[in-house]
Amino acid sequence: MSARKMVYFFGGGSAEGNGSMKELLGGKGANLAEMASLGINVPAGFTITTEVCTAYYENNRQWPDGLEEQIWEAMGKVEKVMGKKFNDPENPLLVAIRSGARVSMPGMMDTVLNLGLNDNTAEGLIKLTDNPRFVYDSYRRFVQMYGDVVLDVPHEEFEKLIDAVKEAKGYQFDTEVTAEEWKQLVGEFKALIAEKTGKPFPEDAKEQLRGSINAVFGSWNNARAIRYRQINDIPGHWGTAVNVQAMAFGNIGDNSGTGVAFTRDPSTGENVFYGEYLMNAQGEDVVAGIRTPLPISTLKEQMPDVYAELESIYKKLELHYRDMQDIEFTIQEGKLFMLQTRNGKRTAHAAVRIAVDMANEGLIDKKTAVTRVEPAQLDQLLHPMLDPKEKVEPIASGLPASPGAAVGQIVFNAEDAEKWSEEGKDVILVRNETSPEDIGGMDAAKGILTARGGMTSHAAVVARAMGKCCVAGCSAAVVNDEEKYVMFGSVKLNEGDWITLNGTTGDVIAGKAKLVEPSLSGNFGTLMEWADEFRALKIRTNADTPHDAEVARGFGTEGIGLCRTEHMFFGEGRIKAVREMILATDKAGREKALAKLLPIQREDFYGIFKVMKGLPVTIRLLDPPLHEFVPHEEVNQAEMAKEMGVPVSVIKERVAALAEFNPMLGHRGCRLGVTYPEIYSMQAQAIFQAACQLAKEGIEVIPEVMIPLVGFVGEFEAMKKVVDDAASRTMEEYGVTIKYMVGTMIEVPRAALIADQIAEKAEFFSFGTNDLTQMTLGFSRDDAGTFLPAYVEQQIIEKDPFQTLDQVGVGQLVQKGVELGRQARPNLKLGICGEHGGDPASIRFCHNTGLDYVSCSPFRVPIARLAAAQANIEKPRN
Amino acid sequence: MSARKMVYFFGGGSAEGNGSMKELLGGKGANLAEMASLGINVPAGFTITTEVCTAYYENNRQWPDGLEEQIWEAMGKVEKVMGKKFNDPENPLLVAIRSGARVSMPGMMDTVLNLGLNDNTAEGLIKLTDNPRFVYDSYRRFVQMYGDVVLDVPHEEFEKLIDAVKEAKGYQFDTEVTAEEWKQLVGEFKALIAEKTGKPFPEDAKEQLRGSINAVFGSWNNARAIRYRQINDIPGHWGTAVNVQAMAFGNIGDNSGTGVAFTRDPSTGENVFYGEYLMNAQGEDVVAGIRTPLPISTLKEQMPDVYAELESIYKKLELHYRDMQDIEFTIQEGKLFMLQTRNGKRTAHAAVRIAVDMANEGLIDKKTAVTRVEPAQLDQLLHPMLDPKEKVEPIASGLPASPGAAVGQIVFNAEDAEKWSEEGKDVILVRNETSPEDIGGMDAAKGILTARGGMTSHAAVVARAMGKCCVAGCSAAVVNDEEKYVMFGSVKLNEGDWITLNGTTGDVIAGKAKLVEPSLSGNFGTLMEWADEFRALKIRTNADTPHDAEVARGFGTEGIGLCRTEHMFFGEGRIKAVREMILATDKAGREKALAKLLPIQREDFYGIFKVMKGLPVTIRLLDPPLHEFVPHEEVNQAEMAKEMGVPVSVIKERVAALAEFNPMLGHRGCRLGVTYPEIYSMQAQAIFQAACQLAKEGIEVIPEVMIPLVGFVGEFEAMKKVVDDAASRTMEEYGVTIKYMVGTMIEVPRAALIADQIAEKAEFFSFGTNDLTQMTLGFSRDDAGTFLPAYVEQQIIEKDPFQTLDQVGVGQLVQKGVELGRQARPNLKLGICGEHGGDPASIRFCHNTGLDYVSCSPFRVPIARLAAAQANIEKPRN
């Protein structure tokens, strides 16, 4: 390590690093280096690499040899460029210490500003600036931040001291506090720190720097950063870089200020310069959302020269990066400094629009445009919207911080949001403002409403990243989170009351408004068409009803990959016949009951086939164990007994006989078909009656009959015979011929291991990765909640294996199934119908493994189309 | 098929087939051909091959082309040798039609004797023999058998007609019926058949033959044959051959007779000629056990010449086959005909003795001797025996038909035997005599007692094959199976009363006698020593207590392969601490409760280690889910609440929280260790405290700590650390060093798939094939009872996969685990500890897969030693 370069300098029109070095320098550091090289005015500084962070943790939180030397060497260069000296009372160089991981984790890690101040340098700075109020304000900010971040003295303790001064003097705002009072507070802060830590505040700037660097390293593993990484799938071993950069002061006076901006609108994607700023403020004032900032357009009037310079810089940066940029700047006494540029976070809506617009503008090509949208993010566009046909009367309006609509019951803190959500309730989190501690509650809520803060406030940024509806800065809202109510003018809403948010317009509506389903149109439709040009995988859907099938066709599905027949057994007028069948003591009795179900099932299939005309429909025969169809509560058993005309003891006995220790591994799937072939025979008959009827009506039907839970080739053979018999009987009856296939799910590990045997008989495989995961890992999905969180926390498992396919384990069985299956039957049709079929990482795996299609829920079809295109762009199929 | 040779002739000193052609000709046909070639006098005949049977079933029960011609061609040769003509009224040839599968299935399939008789040939035969009573007795037997076997007219209907005649005439025995009366009965039988079938009895002998052949084919798939095949693991696709052979008549008069014999005693293995015969009888009279036959030694006095010839023949046959033979013969008017020879069935006791004796006699070598005993059969020798030290007073005595002792409650029919046994009761089946219909009940019973029949009666033969205790021909027993009691002189025992059988001596004891465990000694010990010379696999045992460990050492175990620690949690004074731990709401509370368990667990391990001194002991850390340790009944919950000093609601809540949908796939195994490391830590501490203590006492201890249910390498790493920490802490404390290993069970499919990763960290693998089978097949062992029987019946699965390893599916994962494991760690120790470790077929698989050891229950250790030897003889390991 000691031989390694650990510190990279930037500034004065050149840099040791560049924009491609994100892994080493973090996103912020790499981009600062890149901007410096482009000749953009950034305060000089240096970046300590992510490798140092990793080494720090591996080395029991000690600095590697040589780091100290490299830091002071780089500091020397900064001093030279800035014309100031670190720790020099005459002309002190103050620096900011900021974290910077490979990908942005806004607000999750620590920052220390104004570092280098002590009683000596503060005096020197006053001499230089002749602005004691600025200096003592900066000084108190530094002591407060350092105390909080480095020395773990709670933030609130400092605030109490400030409040005491304000109260004593009758001040309302911090801006009213005088230089002398700030100076006095610095003293009080230091006393507080000495009391709490048992050590005096470090006056030595070098010691301050060392402490701050360690605090940034340490913050990589604070609870909220770990939580954020889990939610956003960021590996823990990446580590963070540390950026040490000369301070530019936005808080020197009224010709100073600070702002953040986007080169295009991050909410809509519109090609307009978009941002906010605050005069006489430091960066955290804007991001924290404590004062409501001004729109960037106002700067054009207020400081036209600065604005013009900013405009030329942002255009240069967007052209350079060929992507929408999120920039931070500070104006120090009329002079513009750029503090950061990075690819801007954006809503899915904006991501789609920007990708399509940039392709149309010729900035990028179509293929690049397709890679510019995270497939998972599209989920946002597929969220429900307020029904435009319904007239709703908003009770208030805020900033449209993250689009989509949400309906839920009001809660006033993150903890309640998580608790209520676990109870299955839809909740809206209502806060004055959010902070990084609220991240879990925001994740649990359907939508977020804040009374304060702008479009770049914490709530807005995080909600957009989560694809969650958010209305921010709704100043009409007066929140009382102690007594748990919120006033909108005279309208009072309490905890648990229903509320509707429209994140696209900023409207707040009392009660439950009607929402409508989204559709593909405009830029979204265009991007989907482009994606289709690049993908190799077909995308099917899991749909059990004509309505689901219709929705999926609207989203561009190419067939049904999984039509579950058991849901059809629960409906009105059906469950009774199902129960009659279950109670029957012999085959004749079961057949009598099944005869009642036949016309109903036929209608089900007729409807689905009709919607899917011309596209294949994979129908899975009955899968769940029979005990799912009988009542388990005493009162319902009595009701069933009455309905069936039998003593309740008969029902109880049958229910008891059907009970299983491990129903997941019990009498279900084709095991039902083997023991009661009449069930599958009826289902096959219903399928082919519906298909024949439609064929006669001139509608093309492509049925694929799927036998579930096969583990032995004999099971498949026996069940295929039942289906084939029903098919030929029915086709003869109707006098038409239907082309159909009989295949199986590969969901029992054994099936993957003997896939060659099965493929001799089966015409298609559909990998049922839900059950395959349960059995391969030995995880009951319904029970894993007791240990899975501990597994993820202890990093035994990277991701929930029911969301993202466990490629190392389960993936081996899928690959084996594919290989063996294709060996035995080269044209074997292969798909996947577990929930992984809608997960982008799993879709990439399916593409690389050579499957023909993935099948996912209707609302994930567009996500799958895009993910499949990106997989094929990444690794084209021959 | 038509070009194929389908019929093989034998007789007159030569044969077309030979003894090696069992697959084609069946056991009986092959041996008849072999005897004919050896110049032994067998009635001429021919064999229709098993291939014809298979073709018959494949061809919708039609004869293949050319079969008819080949039959009549062979019949011509038989006529020539026997000097008679089939269907010739002047000098008629009568034939017997018998089934003959590859392996003997005694009494399971159909036989027709005396075929060729009709009114014409009967008259001709009377002229030839001048013995109308013999002719009409034979004729009525034929019509009766043909009616029963070929035409499905129930046996009893014929018996009723005979009984009517006997009653009218006041006869007691069939032998009193006159020729004229038999003639009259033939007429009545034919009328009965015409009435029941709507068709006249076939007078044409050719039609009779065709019908009988089809009946034998058909009987291959009758219910009891299928059942027999299931119990004895005989594949359904083998089919049966059909033997058509000239009749030799044992029932012509008092210088005729028939008998069965063994070249050595099939019960004890003693080298004496052993058998029984009946004069003036046909073969089925002996086998059916209706008349009690005479011992073979009596024949020496009665017909010295015939006996001398028989003696020379049996010696010739045993020398020829180099194995104990089971022979059948008929004496027709003083002339000896051999009807059958085959390797004789024998008790395990006899099998061991014969193998050892023959090796000592120089007839076979040691290696052959080791292959001569079926490992599974040894189970019989490992059955309990009557305690020789206890004096018991028998109430009656019968033939010692199948050794070992049994204690149970009396039942009087097979159905009750099966029913009571399913309820968990031990039963003894008491019958006048058994028939093939009783096979299920015999299998369910602990022992069988019959009032009638000899050592070769149905009951005796089947019980020996099953290795089940049997006392046969206990003439003192008067059975009333209607009113369900049995009298032994004046002693009356009712249904449900306890009884003890000693199958080794023939004693019957009222009540429950004391039984003792078997041991290795004498011939058994010798054979085991020989087996050890040839085996490569080590044999370990599954033992949880010092007592089990001691038993297993007596049987020659080489270590403990699985010591389950959870059983230790249930004992007196333990379960309370376990429940305290479960109720604890935090780690400190759990640790407090665990501290109480520590000394108890230490004692457990101390005892086991001490018994196993010098041998490795694999200890599995806690595996079952915690809900197995809490009470589920309300009353027990109340009791626990009282004991724990908490409200019952606390218990209920905790029990409810621990409930799982699929406990098999839930929070158990190392998942407990990951979430509650303190449990494993306590267990490891107890292990190493016990080991260190013993080391100080100078006793060698070889602990192997096993982590259960590992699926992810991170689980193993975390748990290994817990164990290693406890080990080093404890060893330091005691000041001694113990060599130990930490390994894992491979029982989750994923573990086999990533075995290379795991082997990087683990020092041994033990394949837990019970759970591996459950997960790979998706079969819950506790629930599979609802469909597994149907699977076996429909031949989807050949054998219960929980008894015999599913080599095709689960076996692939074992092989993969072995390969990957050894890749990563060439000296990885590999074993198996599922119940398959005691199953001979699975042991062969383990040998061939390259495992180091198998581990099985103590009583199966000798079986495993023998099976391992046979596997290595079959396929020696390099």
Side-chain angles (χ1 to χ4, degrees), chain A residues 665 671 715 750 778 791 806, chain B residues 671 715 750 778 780 791 806:
Chain A
L665 307 175
R671 297 164 196 173
E715 295 173 317
R750 192 181 196 275
Y791 272 50
D806 161 39
Chain B
R671 297 163 196 172
E715 294 173 319
R750 191 181 196 275
S780 165
Y791 271 50
D806 161 40

Side-chain angles (χ1 to χ4, degrees), chain B residues 86-358:
Chain B
F86 189 66
N87 212 9
D88 176 1
E90 303 303 316
N91 183 19
L93 172 67
L94 303 192
V95 294
I97 321 298
R98 295 187 184 91
S99 62
R102 286 194 211 182
V103 298
S104 171
M105 294 168 57
M108 292 299 135
M109 286 184 294
D110 292 335
T111 295
V112 179
L113 301 180
N114 307 322
L115 186 140
L117 279 173
N118 53 31
D119 291 348
N120 291 334
T121 53
E123 282 306 319
L125 202 56
I126 290 169
K127 274 185 212 155
L128 273 177
T129 60
D130 200 20
N131 189 342
R133 197 190 172 284
F134 151 66
V135 172
Y136 283 110
D137 182 30
S138 300
Y139 195 3
R140 69 91 191 176
R141 283 173 190 261
F142 167 58
V143 177
Q144 188 174 352
M145 262 181 151
Y146 194 92
D148 174 16
V149 166
V150 182
L151 304 174
D152 279 333
V153 178
H155 183 66
E156 297 76 30
E157 305 269 342
F158 298 102
E159 292 294 337
K160 272 188 209 156
L161 293 174
I162 298 175
D163 288 347
V165 167
K166 282 160 72 180
E167 202 172 323
K169 302 283 175 177
Y171 298 157
Q172 204 174 350
F173 299 109
D174 286 5
T175 43
E176 297 170 70
V177 180
T178 65
E180 198 50 43
E181 283 155 3
W182 281 135
K183 185 178 177 182
Q184 185 198 324
L185 276 167
V186 167
E188 288 177 24
F189 284 4
K190 287 184 179 175
L192 173 68
I193 287 170
E195 183 203 325
K196 292 279 174 186
T197 65
K199 277 187 226 160
F201 179 82
E203 295 283 324
D204 176 16
K206 290 195 172 186
E207 191 186 336
Q208 292 171 2
L209 184 64
R210 280 188 289 263
S212 299
I213 291 171
N214 285 342
V216 172
F217 285 154
S219 69
W220 175 252
N221 276 332
N222 69 34
R224 65 173 192 254
I226 290 174
R227 191 73 199 278
Y228 184 91
R229 289 202 294 270
Q230 280 169 10
I231 293 174
N232 291 280
D233 290 338
I234 299 170
H237 63 81
W238 278 3
T240 182
V242 182
N243 298 290
V244 178
Q245 190 177 21
M247 284 296 300
F249 294 100
N251 58 340
I252 291 187
D254 289 341
N255 66 340
S256 296
T258 187
V260 298
F262 296 86
T263 60
R264 303 191 183 211
D265 186 327
S267 182
T268 65
E270 199 186 344
N271 189 358
V272 292
F273 189 46
Y274 182 93
E276 296 162 326
Y277 72 104
L278 273 174
M279 295 311 284
N280 200 9
Q282 281 202 335
E284 78 268 26
D285 299 334
V286 184
V287 177
I290 290 164
R291 280 158 63 194
T292 301
L294 301 170
I296 198 79
S297 51
T298 316
L299 187 65
K300 197 171 182 176
E301 297 146 35
Q302 213 170 357
M303 301 181 96
D305 292 351
V306 169
Y307 185 84
E309 192 187 348
L310 189 58
E311 199 169 25
S312 88
I313 288 172
Y314 96 68
K315 288 186 171 164
K316 188 174 184 174
L317 286 169
E318 189 179 277
L319 194 64
H320 181 72
Y321 286 102
R322 291 177 189 268
D323 201 353
M324 187 268 269
Q325 295 298 297
D326 166 359
I327 59 179
E328 277 179 42
F329 59 92
T330 286
I331 306 160
Q332 181 174 332
E333 299 183 303
K335 189 173 178 198
L336 181 64
F337 289 93
M338 298 306 296
L339 298 185
Q340 171 159 297
T341 191
R342 57 184 175 190
N343 292 339
K345 287 191 187 294
R346 62 205 80 176
T347 62
H349 194 73
V352 169
R353 177 162 179 183
I354 291 170
V356 172
D357 281 356
M358 283 190 171

Side-chain angles (χ1 to χ4, degrees), chain A residues 660-665 671 674 715 748-750 753 775-780 782-783 791 794 806 809 812, chain B residues 660-665 671 674 715 748-750 753 775-780 782-783 791 794 806 809 812:
Chain A
E660 295 188 299
F661 292 94
N662 299 289
M664 163 69 205
L665 307 175
R671 297 164 196 173
V674 169
E715 295 173 317
V748 172
R750 192 181 196 275
L753 296 167
M775 295 185 213
T776 305
L777 273 53
F779 281 6
S780 165
D782 294 325
D783 302 308
Y791 272 50
Q794 294 181 39
D806 161 39
Q812 273 194 58
Chain B
E660 295 188 301
F661 291 95
N662 299 289
M664 163 69 208
L665 307 177
R671 297 163 196 172
V674 169
E715 294 173 319
V748 172
R750 191 181 196 275
L753 296 167
M775 294 184 214
T776 306
L777 273 52
F779 281 5
S780 165
D782 294 325
D783 302 308
Y791 271 50
Q794 294 182 38
D806 161 40
Q812 272 194 58

Side-chain angles (χ1 to χ4, degrees), chain A residues 332-353:
Chain A
Q332 181 173 331
E333 298 182 305
K335 184 168 181 204
L336 181 63
F337 288 93
M338 298 306 295
L339 298 186
Q340 170 160 295
T341 189
R342 58 183 172 191
N343 291 339
K345 287 194 187 292
R346 60 204 82 175
T347 63
H349 194 74
V352 169
R353 177 164 178 180

Side-chain angles (χ1 to χ4, degrees), chain A residues 627-653:
Chain A
H627 62 73
E628 290 197 7
F629 300 102
V630 292
H632 293 267
E633 300 292 317
E634 194 125 355
V635 46
N636 301 333
Q637 290 177 349
E639 202 177 300
M640 175 172 163
K642 205 174 143 196
E643 213 172 314
M644 299 282 132
V646 295
V648 71
S649 62
V650 170
I651 306 291
K652 278 182 196 290
E653 268 169 37

Side-chain angles (χ1 to χ4, degrees), chain B residues 288-292 399 431-434 449-454 457 459 471-475 477:
Chain B
I290 290 164
R291 280 158 63 194
T292 301
L399 299 171
R431 304 276 288 155
N432 271 318
E433 55 194 303
T434 63
L449 171 65
T450 66
R452 292 207 287 265
S457 65
V471 173
C474 176
S475 50

